[in-house]
Each structure stands twice: as structure tokens, then as C-alpha cells.
Amino acid sequence: MDFLAEILAEKAKEVAAMPQEKLCSGNVRPASFLKKLAAEPERIHVIGEIKRASPSKGDINPAVDILQQAESYESGGVSAISVLTDPVFFKGSIRDLQQVEKAVQVPVLCKDFIISEKQLIRAKNAGASLVLLIVAALSEERLQQLYAAACRMGLEVLVETHDSQEIGTAKKIGAKLIGVNNRDLTTFKVSLETSRKCRQDADGRFYISESGIRTPEDVAGLAADYHGVLVGETLMRSGDPAEVIEELRVVRR
């Protein structure tokens, strides 16, 4: 099964039916993930993810109290909170993001398969500080267009990649924040070897390793080359997310 193709086909239907919102210029969130990264380079930054389900794992924590989860993340020391807003495959919603944004002070990432400016406007209006753009889901031209549109709206952009070629594309469009997803989006198999193979020299950009991170040892193995990690399932299954986050915030070598 090609999960990415299936998700994008469904997403096209969702976006076609999505109302065209007007950008609310007054909705300016001061929190900046990039500023947090720059201000504290000595320690790994954690993006805690709120994810009820996934296409490969099914239900992860469908009954989660998202406000309690978000507050636990913030108390544990996350630098940002990622909220899955896809309703079909991840059982999320834009309402989840709106609720989380009102409950915390840290930047909030709209995590979705973004293919349209309509989604960017919706995310901005809902209070997102960051959005995700996935290189594998877009042509280079469309990626560039959406990246530029997000920047014009005052959104920071995490550009997600899976290999060195995609990292090259992210650099080409001017990405300042590059994610390396350890999850193959076609099979949804996960391997931290993906991040290990994609190590980058210091170039003024910030790199985030995403998916499959469970232990402080996992993070320590990436700390020399990455500025942060995005962690979802491990935190969603934990009885004490704040404690886990504190353990994952290892010192960078």
C-alpha cells in the first residue's frame, strides 16, 4: 500500500470541499520556534505531537484530553507543539489546533498534508505559528509557491524531507527549518537510520529529526547533527509525558 498516495487523494477531496477563508490579519502569534532554536543551541528542542491515530498503527490514544496533553507537554519543556489536523487518517481537526493554541504559550505547528493556500490560511486563522510542507507530497514548483505564501502570512515553515535529494530541494527553496522524517511515507515503516544518513554540516539552518524517537539514547545519537526532535507516539502512549520530555531534552555535543 502506498500510504502517501492514498492520503493525498483523500486530501484533494477534503481541500476541494473546504471553504475559502479570508486571512485574519489581526491574528498574530508572537511565539517563534526559530527564535527558540537560535536562543538555546546547547540543548535538543522537543516538538511534542498530539496524534490520536495513524494509518499504520490505527488508534494510538483516541480518547486523549488534548488540553491536558498540551499542558503536560508545555510543563515538560517542549519548544513547540505539533497538532495533527487530518480528520480521516489521524482523527484530528483544525478545532484541535484552535483549542491547543489557546491553552499554551509555545509555538503550535499545524501538522497536515498541505497542498493548498486554503489550508495555510485556515492554519494561520486557527492560531498556528508553523506549518508543515512535505517535499515528497509536492512538485518543486508547488512547494516553492506554498512556502512563499506561508512566509507572506507570517508563518514559519518546517519543510519535511526523507533523503539527501529532498534536503537539496528544501535548501533550494530557501528553507530555514528542515525536518528529516524517519518514517517512509509510502510504507510508513520507521528507521532512525534515515536521520543518520542525512546528517548535515553546520550551514545556518536548523534540522529536526522526526518520528521513531523513543529514548534519551535515541536522541543522544542524533544530537550532534540535529537541533531538535519531533515526538508523537511515545508521548501519546506515556503516562507522564512531561517526564519523558525532560529526559529527551539532552545536551547537544
Side-chain angles (χ1 to χ4, degrees):
M1 178 181 291
D2 186 334
F3 282 107
L4 180 59
E6 184 179 359
I7 291 169
L8 290 177
E10 187 65 36
K11 190 60 56 178
K13 297 176 188 176
E14 178 187 331
V15 170
M18 185 182 294
Q20 177 68 61
E21 296 183 23
K22 182 179 179 180
L23 184 64
C24 299
S25 58
N27 187 12
V28 179
R29 187 175 173 84
S32 166
F33 183 55
L34 285 170
K35 287 182 180 178
K36 281 179 172 286
L37 291 170
E40 300 176 38
E42 71 282 352
R43 190 173 291 274
I44 282 286
H45 292 256
V46 176
I47 303 174
E49 186 157 270
I50 293 175
K51 178 167 66 172
R52 292 189 177 90
S54 82
S56 58
K57 296 291 183 70
D59 285 349
I60 295 172
N61 190 347
V64 64
D65 181 327
I66 62 168
L67 296 185
Q68 183 178 18
Q69 191 80 4
E71 288 164 1
S72 179
Y73 287 0
E74 188 169 40
S75 67
V78 296
S79 294
I81 295 176
S82 169
V83 181
L84 261 299
T85 57
D86 174 82
V88 176
F89 298 94
F90 295 89
K91 297 187 177 179
S93 71
I94 198 66
R95 175 65 176 158
D96 289 343
L97 190 147
Q98 291 170 322
Q99 290 182 310
V100 169
E101 187 274 333
K102 287 181 173 63
V104 300
Q105 297 301 309
V106 297
V108 178
L109 165 68
C110 179
K111 183 82 173 292
D112 209 324
F113 293 78
I114 292 178
I115 59 173
S116 167
E117 286 83 359
K118 288 201 290 186
Q119 293 165 284
L120 296 176
I121 293 170
R122 186 182 70 164
K124 177 70 174 179
N125 287 347
S129 299
L130 303 102
V131 292
L132 183 79
L133 292 178
I134 304 171
V135 175
L138 300 160
S139 68
E140 184 176 326
E141 180 182 11
R142 192 69 181 119
L143 176 68
Q144 178 73 75
Q145 290 170 347
L146 291 173
Y147 184 85
C151 292
R152 286 195 299 271
M153 294 177 200
L155 290 163
E156 295 178 347
V157 184
L158 175 59
V159 179
E160 182 175 288
T161 66
H162 300 83
D163 56 36
S164 58
Q165 183 175 348
E166 291 185 358
I167 289 175
T169 300
K171 291 179 177 180
K172 187 176 178 181
I173 68 164
K176 299 175 183 176
L177 181 61
I178 297 176
V180 176
N181 195 345
N182 300 303
R183 187 183 309 280
D184 184 319
L185 290 182
T186 58
T187 65
F188 264 54
K189 291 181 179 178
V190 179
S191 173
L192 293 183
E193 190 62 26
T194 302
S195 281
R196 297 187 188 106
K197 288 180 179 178
C198 291
R199 286 174 172 155
Q200 301 294 307
D201 295 328
D203 60 3
R205 296 178 176 83
F206 296 102
Y207 292 88
I208 309 296
S209 179
E210 309 170 33
S211 304
I213 294 154
R214 297 181 173 83
T215 68
E217 291 73 26
D218 289 340
V219 180
L222 301 168
D225 302 283
Y226 290 85
H227 303 87
V229 292
L230 188 149
V231 186
E233 185 179 344
T234 296
L235 297 180
M236 293 300 295
R237 295 189 187 278
S238 171
D240 191 347
E243 181 180 1
V244 174
I245 290 161
E246 290 174 359
E247 293 173 350
L248 295 178
R249 295 186 68 243
V250 305
V251 174
R252 298 184 66 227
R253 297 195 302 276

